[in-house]
Amino acid sequence: MTVAAAVTTFNRLESLKRCLDAIRAQQPPVDEIIVVNDLSTDGTREWLDSQPDLVAIHQSGNYGCACS
């Protein structure tokens, strides 16, 4: 079985970091982490792009989590 975690975010970089720390600490570990960034302007994009263990999807607008 493959387990993935998906997270949506908008301008909550510090909360996102805590959330991803918790996901990364899961046992057994998840196989894939996917983060959908809704056009954050707080450095989220740059930070996500520096994280080699996750897939970052950058939206072209702030569509909200229901549209991700």
Side-chain angles (χ1 to χ4, degrees):
M1 176 184 344
T2 301
V3 177
V7 178
T8 60
T9 190
F10 175 70
N11 283 345
R12 299 285 185 262
L13 181 55
E14 294 308 313
S15 294
L16 176 64
K17 289 178 181 180
R18 288 191 304 274
C19 175
L20 293 175
D21 284 345
I23 292 171
R24 288 170 170 147
Q26 292 294 305
Q27 291 299 323
V30 299
D31 299 298
E32 184 173 38
I33 302 171
I34 304 162
V35 180
V36 180
N37 175 25
D38 275 348
L39 200 61
S40 295
T41 58
D42 63 349
T44 296
R45 180 186 188 106
E46 295 78 13
W47 185 82
L48 285 172
D49 288 343
S50 74
Q51 303 302 299
D53 66 329
L54 56 80
V55 175
I57 299 170
H58 301 290
Q59 299 281 64
S60 60
N62 182 359
Y63 302 114
C65 63
C67 292
S68 300

